[in-house]
C-alpha cells in the first residue's frame, strides 16, 4: 500500500488511503477519483485544488459517505468510515459536516433560518426547548448574524449572509472535521474576505480541522496549511502549502501557479500556458494522466502511472521526470 | 437627433481622435410602477482606439447593464433615461448610440461593435452547426456566396486557434468543450471585423488554464487586428493581465478610471483601495514568523439599486467618510495624469 507522508507535527485526524470512485454512466465508467491518499492533521486546513471535473467534490463527498466510494479507506480517529454500517456511521456523521458552494440552493427556501439550524440540532438530539433556542442564537452570533435573523427566510439574505447561515448549520452539531466545498467561490471579493476571516476565527476558537476545496489558488495559498493538487481524479503533488507554492515540482502545479492571475500589472511572469483541454474522465490517458498537455512528456510517461516520489519529508510529486526537471531548472537559473 | 448621414455630424468634433467610445453620464433604469432600479446611475467611461478598457466591479454594480445599454439590447423595462454614448464609426463620423434609431443600430451590431458573453450558449444556437452560424453572420452583413462565407468561417476558426477547423465547422456547439465554445463565440463576434469588441466576463466560467489560453488569444487578436476591447470582469487579477485602462464600478457608477499601472500603484478611491485589500496577498498577509494575518474586508454590503443612499453611495462603508459625503454626490474629477476619481477626499489617498 501507498503511504502518504504525514503532515508536519503530529496527530492525524483523517487518513485517506487509495480512495477511488467510479460512476457507472450510460457512456461507461467515469473515473472521478483514482487512488487518492492523503492525511489531514488535527487542527489543520488542507486545501484540495484542481480544475473543474478533477474530482474535488467527489473526493470530499466520498469521505463523508454522501457518495459511496468504490475502493479505499478513510480512517477517521482510528475507525475506517468506509467499513461502517449505516447505523454506526450516524455517530460519525455528527463529527463531520459539509459546507456547500452555492449559498442559494443549499438552504431550504421554505424554512426559517432558526429551523434550518435547529434541524441539525434535533437530528442528533443535542438540545431541546430554551436550550435549543439559546444555542441557535449563540450560533448566529458566532457567524456574525443576530438572533432576530432566526425568524427570517433565506431569500431575505445576501449571498455572504447565506454562506454564514450554512456555516452556522454546520457548526450546530460541534463537528471536528468540516469539508468546505468551494465555500467562497460564489461570493464577491469583499464578501469573500469577510467569510475567510470568519472561517479562520472559528478554526482558531474551536480547533476545527478542515478540508477546503477550491479552484482559487490565491485563496488556498492564504488559508491552507497543506495542499493536495488533483488532475483528472489523481494527485499530482501534495505537501505543506508554503513549500509547494515556493517550490512547485510537478509540471501541472507549475503551470497552474504560473497562470493564476495576480492583481499586479507590474509582475511579468514566465507563463506556461497549457495547450488543449482536460481529457474526458471516461477515457483518461494511459500512464500519467497529465501527459497529453504536459510540455515535458516523453514516451515513458504513457507506460505506467507515475509513482509518488518524496522531495522532502512531507512533500511528494507524481512525475517520473521531476528530479531531472528540477536539475534543469537550477541550471537555467545559474546559467 | 440622429446624425445626418451626408454632412459631418456636429458630434464628431466633441470626441478626441483616439477615442472610440465614450459614455457620458449614462443612466439606465428599470422602471416598474413607482419603483426605479437605478442599475446604471451616472456612468462615464472612455475606450481608446486599439486599447482594452477593463470595467471591474462586484456583482450587481451595473457592468452588464452598461454593456447592454451600449449595444442597445436592454430587456424591457430597462431604458436609457439620460446621457450619451458617443461612438466613432469606422468612417470617422461620431454617433450617439443612446438615441440612434433601431434601424441604424442593426447595422452597427456585429459590424462595428460585437459582443461576447460569459455563457457561450447565449450567443450560439444549439440547433445549428458552428459553421452555419458564422456563415449566417457574415452573409447578414456582406453580400458573399455560401462558398466564400464558408472559406471565411474556416479562416475565423483558424484565427481563434481551433485545431482541425474544417472538421469543426460541421459540429454542433454541444460537441465542444467550454473553452472551445468560447473560442467559437469569439470567432463569431469577429467574423464581420468589428472595431470594438465588448466582452462580458468571457473567462469567468472557465478553468484557469483555459482562461489563460483565452486571455492570450484576445491579446494576440488585439495586437494583430488592432480592435478596441471593453472587457467586463469582477476579477482584479484578470484586469491586471489584460487592461490598458480600468474603470471601477460601484452601485451603478464609475468611481475611478485610470491607466492600469496607476490604478494598482495608487488607487485614488477608497472603494478601489478596499477591494485590493480584500484579495489575499502572501507577502502582505503573513507575519514575520509566517503566521497568517487576518484580511481587511470592506464592512457591510453593496446598497440596493432600488434604494441608493443620497450623496456618495459608498459613504455607508467608507473609512474616510465625512458629513459632506452624505449630503452631496461627488463628481468624477481629475486625480492625477489620466486619472479620475469620484471622491471628495481623493487627495488623502
Ligand atoms: N431586467 C432587470 N430588471 C430589474 N433590475 C435589473 C434587471 N437587470 C438588471 N437589473 C439590476 O441592475 C443592477 C445591475 O445589474 P448588472 O447585471 O449590470 O450587474 P453586473 O455588474 O453585471 O453584475 P454581475 O457581476 O453579477 O454580472 C442589479 O441590481 C440588477 O439586479
Ligand atoms: N453522479 C455522477 N455521475 C456521473 N459522473 C459524475 C457524477 N458526479 C461527478 N461525476 C464526474 O466525476 C468527475 C469529477 O467530478 P467532481 O468531483 O464534481 O469534480 P470537481 O468538484 O473537481 O469539479 C467529473 O468528470 C464529473 O463529471
Ligand atoms: S510523468 Fe511525464 S507527462 Fe507526467 S508530468 Fe511528468 S513529465 Fe509530464
Ligand atoms: S466621497 Fe466621502 S464617502 Fe465617498 S468615497 Fe470619498 S470620502 Fe468616502
Ligand atoms: Mg466541485
Ligand atoms: Mg454581469
Amino acid at each position: 500500500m501507498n503511504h502518504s507522508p504525514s503532515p508536519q507535527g503530529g496527530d492525524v485526524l483523517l487518513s485517506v488511503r487509495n480512495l477511488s470512485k467510479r460512476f457507472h454512466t450510460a457512456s461507461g465508467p467515469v473515473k472521478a477519483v483514482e487512488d487518492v491518499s492523503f492525511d489531514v492533521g488535527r487542527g489543520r486546513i488542507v486545501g484540495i485544488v484542481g480544475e473543474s471535473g478533477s474530482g474535488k467534490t467527489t473526493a470530499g463527498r466520498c469521505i463523508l459517505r454522501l457518495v459511496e466510494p468504490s475502493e479505499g479507506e478513510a480512517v477517521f480517529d482510528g475507525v475506517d468510515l468506509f467499513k461502517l454500517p449505516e447505523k454506526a456511521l450516524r455517530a460519525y456523521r455528527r463529527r463531520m459536516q459539509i459546507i456547500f458552494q452555492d449559498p442559494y440552493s443549499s438552504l431550504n427556501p421554505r424554512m426559517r433560518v432558526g429551523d434550518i439550524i435547529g434541524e441539525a440540532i434535533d437530528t442528533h438530539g443535542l438540545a431541546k426547548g430554551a436550550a435549543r433556542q439559546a444555542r441557535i442564537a449563540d450560533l448566529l452570533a458566532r457567524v456574525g448574524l443576530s438572533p432576530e435573523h432566526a425568524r427570517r427566510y433565506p431569500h431575505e439574505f445576501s449571498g455572504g449572509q447565506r454562506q454564514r447561515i450554512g456555516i452556522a448549520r454546520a457548526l450546530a452539531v460541534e463537528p471536528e472535521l468540516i469539508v468546505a466545498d468551494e465555500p467562497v467561490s460564489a461570493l464577491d471579493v469583499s464578501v469573500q474576505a469577510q467569510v475567510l476571516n470568519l472561517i479562520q476565527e472559528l478554526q482558531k476558537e474551536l480547533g476545527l480541522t478542515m478540508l477546503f476545496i477550491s479552484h482559487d489558488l490565491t485563496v488556498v495559498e492564504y488559508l491552507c496549511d497543506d495542499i493536495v493538487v488533483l488532475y483528472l481524479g489523481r494527485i499530482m503533488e501534495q505537501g505543506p502549502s508554503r513549500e509547494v507554492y515556493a517550490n512547485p515540482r510537478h509540471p501541472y502545479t507549475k503551470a497552474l501557479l504560473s497562470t493564476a492571475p495576480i492583481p499586479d500589472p507590474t509582475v511579468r511572469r514566465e507563463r506556461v500556458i497549457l495547450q488543449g483541454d482536460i481529457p474526458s474522465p471516461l477515457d483518461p490517458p494511459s500512464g500519467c494522466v497529465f501527459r497529453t498537455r504536459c510540455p515535458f512528456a516523453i514516451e515513458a510517461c504513457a507506460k505506467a502511472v507515475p509513482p509518488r516520489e518524496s522531495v522532502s519529508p512531507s512533500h511528494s510529486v507524481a512525475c517520473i521526470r521531476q528530479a531531472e526537471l528540477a536539475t534543469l531548472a537550477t541550471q537555467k537559473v545559474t546559467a | 437627433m440622429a446624425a445626418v448621414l451626408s454632412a459631418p455630424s456636429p458630434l464628431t468634433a466633441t470626441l478626441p481622435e483616439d477615442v472610440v467610445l465614450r459614455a457620458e453620464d449614462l443612466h439606465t433604469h428599470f422602471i416598474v410602477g413607482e419603483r426605479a432600479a437605478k442599475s446604471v446611475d451616472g456612468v462615464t467611461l472612455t475606450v481608446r482606439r486599439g486599447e482594452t478598457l477593463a470595467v471591474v466591479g462586484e456583482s450587481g454594480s451595473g457592468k452588464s447593464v452598461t454593456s447592454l445599454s451600449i449595444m442597445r439590447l436592454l430587456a424591457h423595462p430597462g431604458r436609457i433615461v439620460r446621457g450619451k454614448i458617443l461612438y466613432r464609426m469606422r468612417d470617422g463620423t461620431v454617433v450617439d448610440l443612446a438615441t440612434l434609431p433601431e434601424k441604424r443600430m442593426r447595422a452597427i451590431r456585429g459590424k462595428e461593435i460585437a459582443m461576447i458573453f460569459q455563457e457561450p450558449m447565449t450567443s450560439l444556437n444549439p440547433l445549428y452547426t458552428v459553421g452555419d452560424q458564422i456563415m449566417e453572420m457574415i452573409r447578414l452583413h456582406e453580400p458573399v456566396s455560401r462558398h466564400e462565407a464558408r472559406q471565411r468561417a474556416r479562416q475565423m476558426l483558424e484565427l481563434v486557434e481551433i485545431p482541425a477547423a474544417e472538421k469543426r465547422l460541421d459540429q454542433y456547439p454541444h460537441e465542444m468543450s467550454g473553452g472551445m465554445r468560447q473560442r467559437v463565440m469569439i470567432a463569431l463576434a469577429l467574423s464581420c471585423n468589428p472595431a470594438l469588441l465588448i466582452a462580458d466576463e468571457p473567462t469567468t466560467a472557465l478553468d484557469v488554464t483555459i482562461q489563460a489560453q483565452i486571455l492570450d488569444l484576445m491579446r494576440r487578436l488585439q495586437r494583430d487586428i488592432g480592435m478596441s476591447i471593453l472587457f467586463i470582469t469582477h476579477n482584479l487579477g484578470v484586469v491586471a493581465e489584460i487592461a490598458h485602462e480600468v474603470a471601477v464600478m460601484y452601485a451603478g457608477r464609475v468611481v475611478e478610471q485610470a491607466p492600469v499601472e496607476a490604478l494598482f500603484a495608487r488607487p485614488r478611491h477608497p472603494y478601489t483601495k478596499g477591494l485590493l485589500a480584500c484579495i489575499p496577498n502572501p507577502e502582505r498577509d503573513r507575519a514575520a514568523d509566517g503566521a497568517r494575518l487576518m484580511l481587511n474586508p470592506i464592512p457591510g454590503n453593496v446598497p440596493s439599486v432600488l434604494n441608493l443612499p443620497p450623496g456618495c453611495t459608498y459613504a455607508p462603508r467608507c473609512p474616510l467618510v465625512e458629513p459632506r459625503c452624505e449630503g452631496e454626490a461627488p463628481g468624477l474629477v481629475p486625480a492625477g495624469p489620466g486619472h479620475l476619481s469620484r471622491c471628495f477626499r481623493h487627495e488623502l489617498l
Side-chain angles (χ1 to χ4, degrees), chain A residues 45 51-52 158 188-190 193-194 196-197 200-201 203-204 218 221-225 242 256 259 261-265 269 271 273-278 293, chain B residues 58-59 177 207-213 216 219 236-238 240-241 260-261 264 275 278-280 282 285-286 290 292-295 297-301 317:
Chain A
I45 306 182
E51 297 177 275
S52 64
S158 69
D188 272 317
V189 275
S190 73
Q194 294 172 357
L196 287 176
N197 273 1
Q200 291 182 78
E201 276 161 23
Q203 196 255 340
K204 272 191 217 133
T218 316
E221 177 175 24
Y222 169 69
L223 187 72
C224 300
D225 303 301
R242 298 193 76 188
L256 263 190
T259 47
I262 296 177
D264 183 349
R269 287 173 295 172
R271 260 196 220 97
I273 297 185
L274 295 176
Q275 302 301 309
D277 289 308
I278 304 177
R293 301 173 81 202
Chain B
E58 295 185 282
S59 184
S177 67
D207 278 310
V208 279
T209 62
I210 311 296
Q211 166 169 283
Q213 293 173 1
D216 200 48
R219 269 190 299 260
L236 283 157
V238 170
E241 301 231 338
V260 68
E261 295 83 8
F264 283 86
L275 266 189
C278 285
I279 306 170
D285 302 325
R286 294 269 176 190
R292 226 172 10 241
L293 303 173
M294 286 285 182
L295 296 170
I298 300 174
N301 292 303
R317 309 173 76 187

Side-chain angles (χ1 to χ4, degrees), chain A residues 117-127 132 135-136 139 172-173:
Chain A
I117 298 171
E119 190 180 44
I121 298 176
D122 301 340
T123 309
H124 297 282
L126 297 175
R132 179 178 178 275
R135 187 151 178 164
I136 292 169
L139 284 160
V173 298

Side-chain angles (χ1 to χ4, degrees), chain A residues 250-252 288 290-291 294 296-298 301 306 318-322 325:
Chain A
H250 195 284
Y252 178 61
C288 174
F290 182 55
R291 71 181 164 81
C294 179
F296 307 105
I298 52 174
C301 302
C319 166
I320 55 170
R321 301 191 67 190
Q322 65 82 17
L325 294 172

